[in-house]
Amino acid sequence: MNHGKQELARQLKSRHIMMIALGGAIGAGIFKGSSSSISLAGPGVIFAYIWGGLLLLFVMQGLAEMAVQNPQARTFRELIEPILGRFTGYTLGWIYWLNWVLVMSAETAASAVFLQYWFADVPLWVLSLIVSIAITFLNLFQVNIFGETEYWLAGIKVTVLSLFIILGGVLLFEGLGDHPAVGFSHLTSHGGFFPHGFTGLATSMLVVMFSFGGTEMIGMTLGETENPEKVIPRASRGVIYRVLLFYVLPILVIVSLVPWDQVSAAGSPFVTVFQAIGIPYVGGLMNFVMLTAVLSATNTGMYAASRMLYTQALDRQAPRFFGVLSKRKVPVRALLASTSFLYVGVIVAFFAKGHTFDYLMIIPGYTVMATWIVLLLAHLFSHKKGMKVKGYTFKGFPVITAFALFFMLLIFAGVILTSPLFGTLFFFLALLIIIVSYRLQQRASFMRVKRL
């Protein structure tokens, strides 16, 4: 691949990479989206998060191995393209870009709602504009500034989740003040562990996949990471365990402390639990935490979308106009183009009347699954393309990789059958447009060569 003379600056350290991945994964998906998954599957949603986490583990191990074998790659698209071909790389690049611009829209709309808690008289669009400008301004600086900001934003979320797990454990086993120990009776006393059966569990997988989406962000930092062949495998292993810890344990605490059918699908289950305990000022506290969570995820989304569009432009899979770096080594044109989609969230919020997050969550759920499927497929075929494996290797290859790919396809099919038709049609329409655009681009290139 011809990347020209411009190079991204390698200024991200291991701790930055870890928190960037956590920041992308621990967003509104856990603090708000978990209420949707609980209402869909009941207490059995715990298994959905465990199963999704295991599949993610296999995806990340494969990603780490491919990154070690191809240290020149800037994003995971450049890991996949030599293995599965230009068409797959082109399609995945645009699908992943679409994923993050929609996630940014959802998270920005959510952040404006959270800000209205304190600024009730300020219109939603004004708050969204302020957030959009702030996120854009932050990403115009050198990448280490972004990494440092994301490190501390993600740190707030991790701290709150850790305190929630500890407090929940005390309430479950020892009790606290006027609240006796609850135990785990709520897990089965309200319609059983799987109140909605397999259908509910399958439906919840879309929310689960959306929630875990962002962990693969590690693969977007390859071109700006110091010593990626060493940092990426270590970060891939570490982030998986942390994602599982900060999803599975809080969900277990929630459905154990509060009956699952009393967790409102419209609100945050964390607020429900804290209110049940009687913690003062819980509304303001959790509103602040959820605001930092969505700002962090929006920040991460801006990084991912701009880097993907930039590398697409370098390989002439997007207009070359976007393949330019600023003096600070930031793809500013790609960043500003991606920023424009932040305002989609405001438009949807105006018409959706409080359901913005649920509507915008459907499509990224599909794009995350599609990305994981392609990553698993690329890893499965990576050894067959003459790639000599050196350094870090995934010991479960190829059996576990094939196993994970099979179940990802199974989950994808199940989600298609159980998800709202609107989101499904939108995803496949977007996929069709991307495929057609590739064919048109190839035809235009052929005609240029023919004229020469």
Side-chain angles (χ1 to χ4, degrees):
M1 298 179 187
N2 179 23
H3 298 291
K5 296 181 179 179
Q6 290 186 313
E7 294 288 343
L8 295 166
R10 293 189 179 273
Q11 297 178 338
L12 294 177
K13 303 181 185 299
S14 180
R15 65 186 181 90
H16 294 144
I17 303 302
M18 185 74 72
M19 284 303 193
I20 287 171
L22 283 176
I26 304 176
I30 178 64
F31 290 107
K32 188 177 186 302
S34 54
S35 60
S36 299
S37 62
I38 290 170
S39 66
L40 289 169
V45 76
I46 296 168
F47 281 100
Y49 281 100
I50 292 174
W51 186 237
L54 287 175
L55 291 175
L56 179 58
L57 171 63
F58 304 144
V59 171
M60 295 303 294
Q61 295 295 292
L63 173 62
E65 183 181 280
M66 290 189 292
V68 170
Q69 311 312 316
N70 186 1
Q72 302 305 315
R74 287 163 171 77
T75 67
F76 60 69
R77 181 184 65 82
E78 295 180 2
L79 298 177
I80 289 168
E81 195 165 303
I83 301 170
L84 298 181
R86 183 177 175 83
F87 169 72
T88 305
Y90 177 93
T91 304
L92 180 67
W94 282 111
I95 284 177
Y96 200 67
W97 180 82
L98 175 65
N99 169 76
W100 277 111
V101 295
L102 289 174
V103 168
M104 283 193 298
S105 300
E107 305 283 8
T108 303
S111 67
V113 173
F114 294 143
L115 282 169
Q116 274 195 330
Y117 181 89
W118 296 293
F119 307 101
D121 296 331
V122 181
L124 192 67
W125 71 268
V126 174
L127 295 174
S128 182
L129 179 64
I130 293 171
V131 171
S132 301
I133 292 173
I135 293 294
T136 304
F137 183 73
L138 176 64
N139 277 268
L140 289 174
F141 287 101
Q142 291 174 312
V143 70
N144 62 327
I145 302 297
F146 157 78
E148 202 64 37
T149 303
E150 189 56 36
Y151 179 84
W152 291 108
L153 283 175
I156 294 173
K157 296 184 285 188
V158 169
T159 301
V160 171
L161 286 174
S162 300
L163 292 174
F164 182 81
I165 293 168
I166 293 170
L167 180 60
V170 171
L171 287 165
L172 284 173
F173 298 108
E174 297 293 335
L176 185 66
D178 297 331
H179 299 275
V182 177
F184 297 100
S185 60
H186 288 321
L187 295 179
T188 56
S189 60
H190 293 260
F193 196 70
F194 297 100
H196 297 307
F198 176 78
T199 301
L201 193 65
T203 306
S204 71
M205 287 304 300
L206 182 67
V207 182
V208 171
M209 291 302 175
F210 169 83
S211 300
F212 283 158
T215 313
E216 75 290 331
M217 255 291 298
I218 287 177
M220 294 300 299
T221 66
L222 298 176
E224 295 172 280
T225 302
E226 295 179 356
N227 303 314
E229 65 277 5
K230 296 180 180 178
V231 170
I232 298 301
R234 184 167 61 249
S236 297
R237 290 192 299 268
V239 75
I240 287 298
Y241 302 133
R242 287 167 175 80
V243 166
L244 279 172
L245 175 69
F246 293 125
Y247 266 95
V248 175
L249 290 184
I251 297 296
L252 176 61
V253 168
I254 290 168
V255 295
S256 298
L257 290 178
V258 180
W260 71 270
D261 50 2
Q262 294 181 21
V263 176
S264 171
S268 168
F270 290 83
V271 173
T272 303
V273 170
F274 282 136
Q275 285 178 337
I277 296 170
I279 293 180
Y281 310 111
V282 63
L285 172 65
M286 286 310 300
N287 198 73
F288 171 74
V289 172
M290 289 189 287
L291 176 62
T292 61
V294 297
L295 288 176
S296 171
T298 306
N299 194 36
T300 301
M302 178 65 69
Y303 175 88
S306 60
R307 268 56 178 184
M308 183 59 82
L309 183 57
Y310 166 72
T311 58
Q312 291 272 78
L314 289 183
D315 291 334
R316 299 190 177 185
Q317 296 183 8
R320 281 180 284 180
F321 174 81
F322 299 121
V324 177
L325 295 177
S326 68
K327 293 180 180 179
R328 296 187 177 96
K329 301 296 183 181
V330 173
V332 62
R333 294 179 181 177
L335 189 147
L336 293 175
S338 302
T339 302
S340 63
F341 284 83
L342 287 172
Y343 308 102
V344 173
V346 183
I347 298 171
V348 176
F350 179 79
F351 291 103
K353 307 300 181 185
H355 297 283
T356 310
F357 181 81
D358 294 327
Y359 289 167
L360 289 175
M361 181 174 60
I362 297 172
I363 298 97
Y366 273 115
T367 56
V368 166
M369 284 188 287
T371 300
W372 290 11
I373 287 170
V374 174
L375 283 169
L376 287 168
L377 192 63
H379 184 228
L380 192 62
F381 284 98
S382 62
H383 292 203
K384 295 183 179 180
K385 292 289 183 178
M387 182 182 290
K388 185 179 180 181
V389 179
K390 58 183 183 301
Y392 177 81
T393 59
F394 178 38
K395 295 179 181 178
F397 182 88
V399 176
I400 292 181
T401 304
F403 170 84
L405 177 61
F406 171 77
F407 276 97
M408 276 301 306
L409 291 170
L410 203 62
I411 291 170
F412 192 80
V415 167
I416 291 175
L417 296 174
T418 57
S419 294
L421 184 61
F422 163 76
T424 303
L425 290 177
F426 187 95
F427 170 75
F428 282 102
L429 176 61
L431 183 61
L432 179 62
I433 292 173
I434 292 171
I435 293 172
V436 170
S437 70
Y438 176 79
R439 297 303 180 191
L440 291 175
Q441 185 192 66
Q442 291 295 99
R443 183 177 180 182
S445 298
F446 174 79
M447 295 301 294
R448 283 197 298 270
V449 172
K450 189 176 179 180
R451 284 195 296 269
L452 293 175

